Amino acid sequence: MELCSLLLALVPSGHAAYHPTEADLYLEVPHVGEALAAFSKAPMASFLAEDAVRGFLGMVMESGEIDGVAALSSLAEDVFGVQGAEELLRSTRGVSLSVRLPGEGRDLGLLWIADLPGAEAAGSLASRLAGGGETFRSSLLPGIELWSRAEGDRLLVGGGAWSPDHYAPEATLEEATDFRSGMGHFGERGGTTVLRVHQRRSPAEFLRLLMGDSMGMALPSGSAMSALLGGERSLRMNFVDGRFVTDLFEKTEPSFLGNQPVRKAWLDVVAPDAMFAYSTSVQGEGAAQLLGSFISAEQRASVEAELGFSIDELVADVGPGAVVYANPLRGPALPETYAWVEIGDAVGFCKAVTDLCTYLAESDPEFDVKTKDYRVKDAASGERIKIPITTLSLPPSMAPSMGMIPAPRPSFAAAQGKLVISASEMHLKRELKRVYGEQEGSGAALFAPFAVPEDARSVVFMSWNRLVEGVLSLARSLGGMLGGMGGGEMPDLSKLPDASLFTRHFSPTVHYSRAVEGGRLRYHEASFGPETWLFPALAGVVGWERTSQALQSETAGAEPVTTGQ
């Protein structure tokens, strides 16, 4: 208990001491200038600085230069009339945002805080935002009345049910038990902290606030996916030695996934040159309970009476080891993807699932089930063994084709005491031939360069280099065909940068989770950080605001904001 109290006392609060305790979402960039300096050293920045990359970008853009800070500064000058916006942006210290979602008798509230380089800059920008009045409106949140004010060199912007009195209230987020507990799980990481987040509600609900249900981007309340994304989460991202390292704590209940550590032996079936790999444990009884929530007792009783076996007992035999992996792209098709799952009686499981699918297909003429024997030579024994493969032809509404990419035809079989699943019969045969052939190594080697702990409950590997190599190869092979389209305006894809440039700057992404008291602690390490998506996203937001303001004649005569420097 004393150690826990000490850790909580050491939690860096930053702006959390100035935001209301009832915030559902809190985001903070501890120091904007330091974060921008980190982004300038990120792998993406050095990659974009390569002459070959700049040369290709110059064919598709007005300039081969991509400077997110300069672009945003230019837009900010157009939208808000801020003179010297780039200098202001680089000298800004902490920035934070808190949001309270409406519902359960509460109205929407939001508060944005920015520590600017001087009181003159804060006062000038606060005045410019309000347009000389006490409140203003933004096209980003058209139904919300906003206010702005300056407190010394600190700019405050709020709205909805939150007034200026909600700044530095008596009950702050810093004092909230869940905030301090979540952030207290993170040890010393070093480098530059570029982002902190604390979440109490599902991201889908924030999307609904911004986009509306009609956009189809927000998940309906109470849905399984919304529940999966909801709950308390705390996140910290640091830039350390050229990599973005994210620590994330999520408050979760025990699940049928990840209930025991991943064993290296589970990864033996993964091809050593895989592009993507994921492994976790599966608890069959928990999976059976989840399946039962989607099938009524009457439906289950009818099926079980017809087929002569218990679905719950069938699913309860699943586990514990589970692996999903994907090979690099090979032509204009989805990557070959395989799932391997340990099952007590894999042969019996496949037969039962085949019988179940055949039963379901009887009521749908577009649903077909076929089982064929496939013979493969076992390199270990020298014998040819027979493996039944079941292939499902699903209705077009369930598995549509996508242009040149054919519709998936899921296939499964029992091999080496496990269930193996693929998106096509041809891929599955190729996989069986590989695993029964001469072993060329284990997929566990993919994780060898990273310090994955032995008690990891899930592990993920992603080689972006192998993905890019496949994409570039495909683009070049299709370059001739695409070049003849669009009236000759298509860029010359044969001049795409070589994949080795990407390999030089980017390393694989690794992710793992561990069980801790009260939830799950996740570690994510990647070459990509917020700069990969933040600059384009913010450019779009500011561009939207600029377009909206261009339609408002009352802003034409506004005085520009100065930074005071």
Side-chain angles (χ1 to χ4, degrees), residues 261-435:
V262 174
R263 304 172 193 169
K264 287 186 178 181
W266 295 349
L267 297 166
D268 287 344
V269 295
V270 177
D273 60 346
M275 176 180 68
F276 167 84
Y278 163 76
S279 181
T280 190
S281 63
V282 179
Q283 183 187 45
E285 294 179 357
Q289 293 178 2
L290 178 65
L291 180 63
S293 65
F294 293 98
I295 304 176
S296 68
E298 294 77 11
Q299 290 175 318
R300 184 166 43 201
S302 174
V303 172
E304 291 177 347
E306 180 71 24
L307 300 179
F309 60 79
S310 167
I311 294 179
D312 283 351
E313 293 180 1
L314 178 68
V315 178
D317 198 33
V318 173
V323 170
V324 177
Y325 85 91
N327 285 324
L329 290 171
R330 295 189 179 107
L334 296 175
E336 296 179 16
T337 304
Y338 305 99
W340 286 83
V341 184
E342 289 186 336
I343 296 181
D345 179 10
V347 174
F349 183 91
C350 286
K351 183 180 183 306
V353 173
T354 299
D355 291 342
L356 176 60
C357 292
T358 302
Y359 172 77
L360 297 175
E362 292 177 355
S363 60
D364 190 339
E366 294 185 313
F367 187 5
D368 187 40
V369 182
K370 291 183 179 179
T371 301
K372 297 180 181 179
D373 289 338
Y374 176 63
R375 296 185 180 276
V376 61
K377 184 177 179 180
D378 184 2
S381 64
E383 299 179 356
R384 295 186 66 82
I385 57 178
K386 181 175 68 175
I387 301 177
I389 295 178
T390 297
T391 300
L392 310 179
S393 296
L394 302 175
S397 59
M398 296 178 61
S401 59
M402 297 176 285
M404 294 186 295
I405 302 176
R409 300 179 68 229
S411 299
F412 59 88
Q416 298 185 347
K418 304 179 184 69
L419 167 70
V420 55
I421 308 171
S422 183
S424 78
E425 180 182 356
M426 180 181 66
H427 291 174
L428 185 53
K429 289 179 177 178
R430 187 178 297 162
E431 177 72 346
L432 292 174
K433 187 175 181 180
R434 184 188 69 83
V435 297

